[in-house]
Amino acid sequence: MEQVLLTCGSHGSRRLPTPSGVPTVALPARPGKADLDPVLAANPRRLVVAGDDADLAAVLQRLLRSDRLDVELAHLPTRGSDAAKAWGLPSDVDLAFDGKASPVPLVRDDSGGVLVGRGEVRGMRGECYCDDVLVLRGTAPRLVAAPGPGGVGVRAGRTGRLPDGRTRAVDLRARSGRGEAVGRTAQLGGEPMTVVTDGVAHPREVRRWTWYRHTTDWLLVRP
């Protein structure tokens, strides 16, 4: 099987023009192993995911766990998608089915999840390092992480804007400060925090959290 269109959750009601012969599989929101393994058993070359960022992350996570990162992924994003912003993805059906896939960094976390668009902690108190760059010491109304060509970017600030690839290091001698950086690993530590990944809150508060670049990239269709 060459390509499969996956419509996730309420996005199954979207009427999408698809090439002749491409099957459509309706799945629940954030599909899991039981939903995706029958699709993967047909050995598709490409999965086109119509859904939000959490749906795309769920599909990518299953590819990672089943050792199927050879399968290409295309995303037909919803309005306001942070994955679309991070990777420059238009809502373009022709691109999704006919575009070229290329390797991009796969960002994971230490709880077994993946990050495709936005990771966020609000009201953080503690420290954050991106590789050896200090990004936060003290408090930040919003600390935001995002994947990108350089790995994982992280930004501590007020507005919640996604990292833009720049580096603004906090002086290691400073008692407090906020900055941003991009690298292979972002490590957070401090008072109990709730981490929200692609719109889904972690089920419990944590004192430490790590996002890091996996050793193998994933295949994403993009302009």
Side-chain angles (χ1 to χ4, degrees), residues 121-202:
V121 176
R122 296 199 179 196
M124 182 174 170
R125 293 177 176 271
E127 288 188 342
C128 172
Y129 278 85
C130 185
D131 294 342
D132 58 354
V133 176
L134 180 61
V135 173
L136 171 67
R137 175 171 288 158
T139 64
R142 300 175 77 171
L143 185 138
V144 177
V152 55
V154 62
R155 180 178 185 273
R158 293 183 176 276
T159 65
R161 288 191 295 112
L162 291 177
D164 60 11
R166 294 183 297 173
T167 295
R168 293 187 298 108
V170 176
D171 192 320
L172 294 175
R173 298 165 296 180
R175 297 183 62 182
S176 64
R178 303 171 189 153
E180 64 181 301
V182 60
R184 191 168 194 89
T185 303
Q187 296 178 300
L188 290 61
E191 295 184 6
M193 66 188 94
T194 298
V195 181
V196 179
T197 302
D198 294 319
V200 180
H202 191 65

Side-chain angles (χ1 to χ4, degrees), residues 5-8 11-19 22 24 48-51 75-77 91-93 96-97:
L5 171 63
L6 306 179
T7 58
C8 301
H11 307 289
S13 61
R14 295 169 67 186
R15 297 181 63 87
L16 298 170
T18 59
V22 173
T24 298
V48 179
V49 181
H75 189 206
L76 293 172
S91 186
D92 185 333
V93 174
F97 288 101

Side-chain angles (χ1 to χ4, degrees), residues 26-52:
L27 298 176
R30 296 164 56 194
K33 180 179 188 297
D35 307 305
L36 292 167
D37 280 6
V39 177
L40 295 176
N43 291 317
R45 176 179 61 87
R46 175 176 298 181
L47 299 177
V48 179
V49 181
D52 60 22

Side-chain angles (χ1 to χ4, degrees), residues 20 28 47 66 110 118 136 151 158 165 184 190 198 203 208 222:
S20 176
L47 299 177
S66 59
D110 52 4
R118 172 189 291 262
L136 171 67
R158 293 183 176 276
R184 191 168 194 89
D198 294 319
R208 298 184 182 278
R222 57 181 184 146

